[in-house]
Amino acid sequence: MNAALPGHVLPAERRDLPADLLAALRQRFGERCSTATAVLAHHGRDESPYPVMPPDAVLYCESTDEVAFAVAQAVAHRVPVIPYGVGSSLEGHTLALQGGLCLDLTRMDRILRLDAEDLTVTVQPGVTRRRLNDEIRHSGLFFPIDPGADATLGGMTATRASGTNAVRYGTMRENVLALEVVVPHEADGARVLRTGTRARKSSAGYDLTRLFVGSEGTLGVVTEVTLKLHPLPEAVSAAVCHFATVDQAVQTTIRIIQHGIPIARCELLDAHAVRAVNRHDKLALRETPLLLMEFHGSPAGVQEQAAAVQALAMDEGGEDFDWATTPEDRTRLWTARHHAYFAALQMRPGCRAVTTDACVPISRLADCIGQTVQEADASGLPYFIVGHVGDGNFHVGYLIDPDRPEERERAEALNTALVRRALALEGTCSGEHGIGLHKMGFLREEAGDAALDLMRGIKRSLDPLGLMNPGKVFSSAPVPAPTSGGRRRPCR
Amino acid sequence: MNAALPGHVLPAERRDLPADLLAALRQRFGERCSTATAVLAHHGRDESPYPVMPPDAVLYCESTDEVAFAVAQAVAHRVPVIPYGVGSSLEGHTLALQGGLCLDLTRMDRILRLDAEDLTVTVQPGVTRRRLNDEIRHSGLFFPIDPGADATLGGMTATRASGTNAVRYGTMRENVLALEVVVPHEADGARVLRTGTRARKSSAGYDLTRLFVGSEGTLGVVTEVTLKLHPLPEAVSAAVCHFATVDQAVQTTIRIIQHGIPIARCELLDAHAVRAVNRHDKLALRETPLLLMEFHGSPAGVQEQAAAVQALAMDEGGEDFDWATTPEDRTRLWTARHHAYFAALQMRPGCRAVTTDACVPISRLADCIGQTVQEADASGLPYFIVGHVGDGNFHVGYLIDPDRPEERERAEALNTALVRRALALEGTCSGEHGIGLHKMGFLREEAGDAALDLMRGIKRSLDPLGLMNPGKVFSSAPVPAPTSGGRRRPCR
């Protein structure tokens, strides 16, 4: 069961598409089938530090039929298929490790139906989360999942994204109701299927929706997503609370969660991250560890939650809340939070970040972060910490000089130590970024051989030719080392 | 892809276990391996109206090792395996259609660890939900999923159970964090694997936890369940609100959900169900359609929710709330609700109930129930309706005389019409009871051939010999007709 998936590793020399395949694609897609070098290069990357791995052609799909056509052609010619949104994934998910057809889904960007009375919406995969929220605002509803980047909903489905609101509203796992998916099929070429209905719950058969959520394009191509929506809260308030130490902020978070307070957002920034966003967003936050919090509910409910949290924070040594009461103030704060990653990069010109994504049970969070901070301080590398700490999830960004391979090695060693610590504390190697290319070894450590074999069996069952985003999640194909020199962008 | 699973249908004559298998089981299990007729008969049934289909042996397992041993023996001898809890499933899930080994898991009833600070608990599959709540009460936490029956947590996992609290707390899908599972393996006999960690969220690989939740024993045997717990609410209040018509009660429910009010329970009883529980539980509820509701939160939050719901109910023609303020009053009401099924059976001595389980998007609920009530009234069969209407889920129980096959046929025809209506309204054939034997045809109608083939492929990948609870969920094996005469119990 440990062997490579059959057909999973395509011959390395196979990088020119067969002429008849290319002709068929050009006939169907016209100018929306591109083999221009710049287009291929653009689609051969994501936000990870891997070198560009371009596909052999990019197809700008505009319908489920076109996706099915492309997958069928790929099956007929035994060529890989990689679905692509805005390329904001962080672990190498969309890199065309073995070439093939990149399906750019950003033109499938229609909101197909809003069923406000059912609190559901069905969208094509290329709709981004911000556009969705802009377009449904009139309904009094919103879609809470917020991974920071303005990702597509297809991509967020594929990586099981979460972000700042997950502590209250759950992740993509909890908020995808049903999918339309194109899967490869040896006899038919491709098949289109639906994985569920619009009913809020169901006990009808295996949970195919949850199987595709988080499958990173390795089982099929998501062509429609039906999502749960939530009523815009009557009242919203945001607050910042400063602490002398990261540990105090984490202890406060632990108590908030243990008390069952339905906080909507509970984000940690360490002093390094605060300094970075102060500079980048021209804020004047005191440069200490802080929690950035948001409360949703009725006016009285929000007050009640805030009072309870304030009392817990005071107990742990937190200082008074700074309230962001106007929508403008709140937006400024959260925009700054979303800029933290890019803001931090600017603290070391020309650097790159090696980003971690551990998630542990909340009672282990203080241990996990505490040891991580010690190691990071001892490493001598500049770093920052931001975290969706209400979920036990946090990110360390190590700022490395791409021209010094030893810095990357040090950062990767720190990441490895952190993942092992998280696993020892009963946590996971990835809270929300996914496996992609970067964490395949960690997935094996976390899941164990028996569970991994089971996943590979499922993969083989759905994709016996190994054509769907090959070499991701698990693979025995050789994986290139992340680039340590030669940046593909000035400073990502 | 439509062929039967290989090995799925065992020869009908294979009903005596091989002597060497029986010897190996007796050596390992001693008296906990039983072939006594009464024991086999007891394990050859659930709460469905199918005839008894006994296994060939019952093994009272006491550990994961014993389960793995039994599965390995079954693999070696090509004999089916059926996991068994308290037999409270409703669709024939546990019937030994092809004989084989029944693994009685009720002795695996330890609460392995309570991690109160993480709001998680890990239990063996034989722990029942009531016992779990009794034993964790001191922690200030509770497990909300409440399917009525005092089912085992292994069984609730297998059927993706939900019940009265799901409208606020979700179903087993949302409340199982991780599992330990024994799966069959051709080379190793059996393998033990874990499907997740105790982290609240993860993007590490395929969601095996959700694959096993709702798989009805057809993929493996659940041997440990890690569950999310919730803080006991500071304040709880329950209320009854009467309506002149079922439609008014449903319209009120729809508005509660559309307003995003976090109601904890929202149950419909029609006048027939109210009459039945009045008699059975010696209550004096007015015999009209009613909503039985519960609110959880802070004292102020509960008041606020109740006031909002009361206003909505008045708008729809509801009458004043009758409050159940003491814990004793609340318990009486909810106990009566849980007795509704058995209470209704007593309204027609000697009868059986044919129970439906449709679930639709909330905006379709009034249509769906309205037409169902019309058809039920026109049928001449006695019936009652109870529903977890906050989820769009309701059950009609048709009370039939088991000695009149034409009544069963009429009830099954009504169920078929309801399922088709629910599917046309974008709902599901099963909100919470599962597929078992009874709904295999409906699952195909709901999911479609492509999705069903994909499920079968997953089944084949995990259980290539087709030994795990064969003939359930999907199967081309012949299914016996539900019994229309010859009750196995006086009146279930």
Side-chain angles (χ1 to χ4, degrees), chain A residues 170-195:
Chain A
T171 72
M172 290 301 279
R173 181 173 74 192
E174 286 80 22
N175 284 282
V176 176
L177 260 183
L179 297 169
E180 180 190 80
V181 188
V182 173
V183 293
H185 192 269
E186 277 198 83
D188 300 352
R191 283 180 157 195
V192 183
L193 58 93
R194 294 196 163 272
T195 65

Side-chain angles (χ1 to χ4, degrees), chain A residues 113 117-118 159-160 162 173 191 201-203 205-206 210 218 258 298 304 363 426 428 430 453, chain B residues 113 117-118 159-160 162 173 191 198 201-203 205-206 210 218 258 298 304 363 426 428 430 453:
Chain A
R113 49 185 286 200
E117 67 284 17
D118 290 319
T159 50
R160 204 182 291 132
S162 50
R173 181 173 74 192
R191 283 180 157 195
K201 65 179 193 183
S202 172
S203 284
Y206 299 164
R210 249 50 57 182
T218 63
Q258 290 175 350
S298 67
E304 197 174 58
S363 71
E426 300 183 88
T428 175
S430 177
D453 283 352
Chain B
R113 50 186 285 200
E117 67 283 17
D118 291 319
T159 51
R160 203 182 292 130
S162 48
R173 181 174 74 191
R191 283 181 158 195
R198 287 205 306 113
K201 65 179 194 183
S202 172
S203 283
Y206 299 164
R210 248 51 56 182
T218 62
Q258 290 175 350
S298 67
E304 196 174 57
S363 71
E426 301 183 85
T428 177
S430 177
D453 282 352

Side-chain angles (χ1 to χ4, degrees), chain B residues 133-347:
Chain B
N133 276 322
D134 287 346
E135 301 222 358
I136 66 176
R137 187 157 294 131
H138 69 278
S139 69
L141 301 172
F142 80 117
F143 180 68
I145 315 293
D146 162 20
D150 190 21
T152 64
L153 290 155
M156 289 169 63
T157 300
T159 51
R160 203 182 292 130
S162 48
T164 61
N165 278 310
V167 62
R168 170 146 179 178
Y169 297 96
T171 72
M172 291 301 279
R173 181 174 74 191
E174 286 80 22
N175 285 281
V176 175
L177 261 183
L179 297 169
E180 181 189 79
V181 188
V182 174
V183 292
H185 192 269
E186 277 198 82
D188 300 352
R191 283 181 158 195
V192 182
L193 57 94
R194 295 198 160 270
T195 65
T197 72
R198 287 205 306 113
R200 278 166 67 112
K201 65 179 194 183
S202 172
S203 283
Y206 299 164
D207 192 344
L208 297 183
T209 303
R210 248 51 56 182
L211 181 62
F212 282 98
V213 172
S215 63
E216 303 188 8
T218 62
L219 299 177
V221 184
V222 171
T223 49
E224 278 185 28
V225 190
T226 300
L227 298 163
K228 284 190 200 171
L229 299 175
H230 299 262
L232 279 165
E234 201 187 338
V236 175
S237 69
V240 173
C241 184
H242 292 272
F243 296 86
T245 65
V246 166
D247 188 62
Q248 289 174 345
V250 173
Q251 295 292 355
T252 300
T253 304
I254 292 173
R255 295 190 60 198
I256 292 169
I257 299 304
Q258 290 175 350
H259 278 69
I261 297 166
I263 194 166
R265 288 167 148 173
C266 185
E267 295 286 304
L268 169 74
L269 282 78
D270 75 348
H272 305 303
V274 176
R275 193 169 312 129
V277 299
N278 270 346
R279 275 211 222 168
H280 185 275
D281 284 71
K282 303 191 176 32
L283 296 178
L285 295 164
R286 275 192 297 121
E287 292 177 1
T288 72
L290 61 79
L291 288 179
L292 177 50
M293 293 171 280
E294 196 165 275
F295 306 97
H296 293 178
S298 67
V302 161
Q303 279 198 341
E304 196 174 57
Q305 291 173 46
V309 169
Q310 206 156 4
L312 294 175
M314 298 307 103
D315 281 357
E316 298 294 338
E319 300 174 18
D320 253 357
F321 280 17
D322 291 332
W323 289 101
T325 40
T326 68
E328 294 72 26
D329 284 351
R330 280 206 311 277
T331 302
R332 264 184 89 208
L333 270 181
W334 287 110
T335 304
R337 163 65 190 89
H338 286 329
H339 289 166
Y341 177 80
F342 294 99
L345 288 172
Q346 296 184 9
M347 300 294 280

Side-chain angles (χ1 to χ4, degrees), chain A residues 90-91 147 162-163 267-268 270 273 337 341 354-359 369 372 383-389 392-398 418 429-433 439, chain B residues 201:
Chain A
L90 289 159
E91 306 286 5
S162 50
E267 296 286 304
L268 169 74
D270 75 348
R337 164 65 190 89
Y341 177 79
V354 171
T355 307
T356 72
D357 182 30
C359 182
I369 294 195
T372 303
Y383 75 94
F384 66 98
I385 295 178
V386 292
H388 315 306
V389 280
N393 183 207
F394 66 99
H395 309 298
V396 189
Y398 292 103
L418 169 54
C429 66
S430 177
E432 56 182 12
H433 294 169
K439 292 216 167 88
Chain B
K201 65 179 194 183

Side-chain angles (χ1 to χ4, degrees), chain A residues 167 250-263 266 309 312 316 361-366 389-391, chain B residues 115-120 139-142 198 200 229-233:
Chain A
V167 62
V250 172
Q251 295 292 353
T252 299
T253 303
I254 292 172
R255 295 190 61 198
I256 292 169
I257 299 304
Q258 290 175 350
H259 278 71
I261 297 167
I263 195 166
C266 185
V309 169
L312 294 174
E316 298 294 339
I362 195 80
S363 71
R364 310 302 184 89
L365 184 61
V389 280
D391 288 321
Chain B
D115 293 284
E117 67 283 17
D118 291 319
L119 292 78
T120 71
S139 69
L141 301 172
F142 80 117
R198 287 205 306 113
R200 278 166 67 112
L229 299 175
H230 299 262
L232 279 165

Side-chain angles (χ1 to χ4, degrees), chain A residues 83-263:
Chain A
Y84 197 94
V86 297
S88 56
S89 56
L90 289 159
E91 306 286 5
H93 297 79
T94 55
L95 277 51
L97 189 59
Q98 301 167 24
L101 306 180
C102 173
L103 308 194
D104 184 312
L105 302 169
T106 51
R107 298 187 188 183
M108 290 179 69
D109 64 350
R110 280 187 302 140
I111 293 171
L112 297 171
R113 49 185 286 200
L114 171 63
D115 293 284
E117 67 284 17
D118 290 319
L119 292 79
T120 71
V121 68
T122 299
V123 301
Q124 289 187 311
V127 175
T128 66
R129 66 176 184 86
R130 278 197 203 126
R131 216 192 101 222
L132 173 63
N133 276 322
D134 287 345
E135 301 222 357
I136 64 175
R137 187 157 293 127
H138 68 280
S139 69
L141 302 172
F142 79 118
F143 181 69
I145 315 292
D146 163 20
D150 189 21
T152 64
L153 290 155
M156 288 168 63
T157 300
T159 50
R160 204 182 291 132
S162 50
T164 60
N165 279 309
V167 62
R168 170 147 178 174
Y169 296 96
T171 72
M172 290 301 279
R173 181 173 74 192
E174 286 80 22
N175 284 282
V176 176
L177 260 183
L179 297 169
E180 180 190 80
V181 188
V182 173
V183 293
H185 192 269
E186 277 198 83
D188 300 352
R191 283 180 157 195
V192 183
L193 58 93
R194 294 196 163 272
T195 65
T197 72
R198 288 204 306 114
R200 276 166 68 113
K201 65 179 193 183
S202 172
S203 284
Y206 299 164
D207 191 345
L208 297 184
T209 303
R210 249 50 57 182
L211 181 63
F212 281 98
V213 172
S215 63
E216 303 189 6
T218 63
L219 299 177
V221 184
V222 171
T223 49
E224 279 184 28
V225 190
T226 299
L227 298 163
K228 285 190 199 170
L229 300 174
H230 299 262
L232 279 165
E234 200 187 338
V236 175
S237 70
V240 172
C241 184
H242 291 272
F243 296 86
T245 65
V246 166
D247 188 62
Q248 289 174 345
V250 172
Q251 295 292 353
T252 299
T253 303
I254 292 172
R255 295 190 61 198
I256 292 169
I257 299 304
Q258 290 175 350
H259 278 71
I261 297 167
I263 195 166

